[in-house]
Amino acid sequence: MDAVTAMAPELREISLFLHKNPELGGKEYQAARLLITAAEQRGFTVQQNISGYETAFIAKKGSKGPKIAFLAEYDALPELGHACGHNLIAAMSWGAAAALAAVAGDRAVSFLIGCPAEETSGAKVAMAADGVFDGLTAALIVHPADGNYLGGTSYATHPLRITFRGRPAHVASKTDKGVNALDALVMFYQGIKMLRQTFIQETILAGIVTKGGTAPNVVPDAAEAKFTIRALSSHYLEETVIPAVRRLAAGVALASGTTVETVHYEPLFKELINSPRLLELFQNNMALLGETVTVLKPEDADGSTDVGNVSHAVPTIHPDIGIGCNLVAHTPAFAAAAASDYAQERLLVGAKAMAMTAIDLLA
């Protein structure tokens, strides 16, 4: 698409600026300002401070026709920077939104929706709950990866913090042995291994101990762990898996004489539902751009994303665009690849494919 090609210098500048100035989720002030300024300069109207996030925004151009949104992510990872390539996502989505607005004119409403904190709290969760995506015709986002992939899904996830509380005592006391909260946590951790085998759907239960005591000669009166708990459907996760985890924790507390508290420390990310029609259109457009695509099975899950919550509100796709071989997200190598000249060329392909798919919807 000529409209995207003409924006190549601007999109490269945006991508590399974000890469050189990484900001953590909810604090992406420079990133949001850069994208908002770009949108306003092209005649988009912008609404800021969405769903409690200062760095969330909705940029809109057009008044009638299909309402098509391109989702921009721009948060980075602690210490690793843009090791998930959100600098490229932001540039691709802006390029697609601007191109659609330029080509469609009054035949469509083009949205660039700025979505902070995908790596942590997931602004799209609150935005979806607030109805931000209701009434849209489609939502599109492309993620950088080690190849071109289409389809599949993501795991629903609802992380859980488990805290056991006992009673402190000196380990050498002859009168009071205390109640060891760490023993309870270890028992629970071992029980998780057995619990995994009881579920009839694919699940992930993985955790770390975040608090195990204060001194080796003091019986720990509090012990804490954080678990990422995932399943292929949010319904199975919420109705079967998490209740079973909580029952296990309660049983361990009863057996060990401790008390237990279970708290969700991050919101529910629902599983991704890719729209078959949008997938078909996107695949056709990738072919027109000379790209080959690996089509994943619908149940092929890889990671978790708050885009899943969007997909439960509006037809959505979340394909991948290759920016290099043998890359693994959230690594220094991926961060380096996201700033490469090759990646800046590849983001143009992602932006074009999204814009072309959106234009197909005008018919």
Side-chain angles (χ1 to χ4, degrees):
M1 281 188 61
D2 292 343
V4 172
T5 302
M7 294 180 67
E10 177 185 353
L11 299 181
R12 178 187 179 90
E13 182 178 352
I14 288 172
S15 170
L16 294 179
F17 178 88
L18 297 185
H19 194 277
K20 292 176 183 177
N21 299 276
E23 298 169 294
L24 299 182
K27 298 180 179 179
E28 313 98 322
Y29 299 108
Q30 293 183 85
R33 173 46 51 194
L34 183 66
L35 293 168
I36 288 170
T37 299
E40 289 177 336
Q41 288 176 346
R42 289 185 180 262
F44 282 69
T45 59
V46 179
Q47 179 184 358
Q48 301 182 51
N49 299 317
I50 308 298
S51 298
Y53 286 87
E54 289 183 315
T55 52
F57 65 87
I58 302 171
K60 169 187 172 183
K61 188 171 184 181
S63 58
K64 58 185 178 180
K67 299 177 180 178
I68 303 169
F70 304 92
L71 310 180
E73 297 172 354
Y74 31 83
D75 60 318
L77 291 158
E79 300 182 9
L80 291 172
H82 279 289
C84 209
H86 289 187
N87 60 306
L88 300 169
I89 293 177
M92 283 189 281
S93 290
W94 165 233
L100 174 63
V103 173
D106 292 333
R107 294 181 295 153
V109 186
S110 180
F111 290 86
L112 177 70
I113 301 184
C115 306
E118 190 274 339
E119 298 289 355
T120 51
S121 59
K124 299 184 202 70
V125 175
M127 295 166 79
D130 289 344
V132 168
F133 307 104
D134 293 354
L136 294 176
T137 305
L140 301 90
I141 181 172
V142 171
H143 201 291
D146 64 347
N148 297 337
Y149 301 104
L150 195 63
T153 184
S154 64
Y155 289 102
T157 179
H158 207 171
L160 202 63
R161 183 175 66 242
I162 314 290
T163 306
F164 287 94
R165 300 191 186 280
R167 190 177 71 254
H170 194 286
V171 294
S173 173
K174 297 185 181 300
T175 58
D176 185 358
K177 299 299 182 183
V179 178
N180 195 315
L182 181 58
D183 282 351
L185 181 58
V186 170
M187 190 186 308
F188 172 79
Y189 190 92
Q190 294 295 330
I192 283 288
K193 295 181 179 180
M194 300 299 296
L195 186 63
R196 288 192 192 102
Q197 304 173 26
T198 68
F199 299 120
I200 61 173
Q201 293 186 19
E202 183 181 354
T203 58
I204 296 173
L205 287 80
I208 60 169
V209 175
T210 53
K211 182 177 182 181
T214 56
N217 62 344
V218 177
V219 174
D221 63 335
E224 178 185 281
K226 285 184 174 182
F227 279 81
T228 177
I229 303 175
R230 309 186 188 203
L232 285 178
S233 81
S234 50
H235 181 269
Y236 189 73
L237 177 69
E238 298 293 279
E239 299 299 324
T240 300
V241 181
I242 288 176
V245 172
R246 284 195 161 118
R247 285 194 299 270
L248 172 62
V252 168
L254 182 63
S256 61
T258 61
T259 60
V260 67
E261 178 186 47
T262 60
V263 176
H264 290 295
Y265 62 91
E266 288 180 0
L268 169 65
F269 282 23
K270 296 181 179 180
E271 73 279 12
L272 175 66
I273 303 173
N274 276 299
S275 163
R277 177 58 177 153
L278 291 177
L279 289 177
E280 179 185 3
L281 293 173
F282 189 89
Q283 184 175 9
N284 291 341
N285 287 315
M286 286 289 280
L288 290 174
L289 292 168
E291 298 283 330
T292 58
V293 176
T294 298
V295 180
L296 305 175
K297 295 179 180 179
E299 68 277 10
D300 191 341
D302 182 15
S304 301
T305 174
D306 58 356
V307 178
N309 297 60
V310 179
S311 73
H312 285 249
V314 58
T316 301
I317 54 170
H318 192 354
D320 296 322
I321 191 87
I323 64 166
C325 298
N326 302 317
L327 292 174
V328 178
H330 293 207
T331 63
F334 199 101
S340 68
D341 288 340
Y342 181 64
Q344 311 319 306
E345 296 174 4
R346 299 296 292 162
L347 76 81
L348 299 178
V349 176
K352 288 177 182 180
M354 280 194 289
M356 292 163 68
T357 300
I359 291 168
D360 288 338
L361 296 177
L362 301 183

